[in-house]
Amino acid sequence: PHPAAFTYLDGRKLKILESEIWSEKKNSQPGMIFSVIKGKGFLVGTGTKPLLVKTIKPAGKQKMSAFSFSLGNKVENKKLGNAKK
């Protein structure tokens, strides 16, 4: 939805601009990035079917594919959440 959904990764705001429900059910903790799908993005646990995050906008950066973001940032096995730790 406009303007976008957002979350935090490592204390930094991350807007989620494009995503879709992943077709395969995988057991993963809600909010946990548990897999990177080459050329597509990364999978986040929801408690049921995972969410494939496809396009994001990190704070202070341009819009980019979630897969490109994952190449420069170790996202796998990290938890999305609020800014406070």
Side-chain angles (χ1 to χ4, degrees):
H2 181 73
F6 72 91
T7 187
Y8 291 88
L9 179 64
D10 295 334
R12 297 179 303 173
K13 190 173 185 177
L14 187 71
K15 286 185 181 180
I16 299 173
L17 303 175
E18 184 182 6
S19 64
E20 66 183 50
I21 301 298
W22 190 246
S23 59
E24 300 173 33
K25 184 174 180 174
K26 305 255 185 195
N27 290 333
S28 182
Q29 180 181 9
M32 183 67 67
I33 300 171
F34 66 90
S35 184
V36 174
I37 307 296
K38 187 174 182 178
K40 294 188 183 260
F42 51 79
L43 293 173
V44 179
T46 65
T48 56
K49 288 186 177 180
L51 183 70
L52 174 64
V53 177
K54 297 166 71 174
T55 308
I56 60 169
K57 185 185 179 303
K61 306 232 180 200
Q62 295 293 319
K63 174 174 104 168
M64 67 177 64
S65 76
F67 178 70
S68 294
F69 179 78
S70 74
L71 294 175
N73 297 273
K74 295 184 179 203
V75 298
E76 206 162 348
N77 298 317
K78 288 194 175 180
K79 187 160 176 110
L80 298 174
N82 58 31
K84 297 178 183 177
K85 293 202 174 207

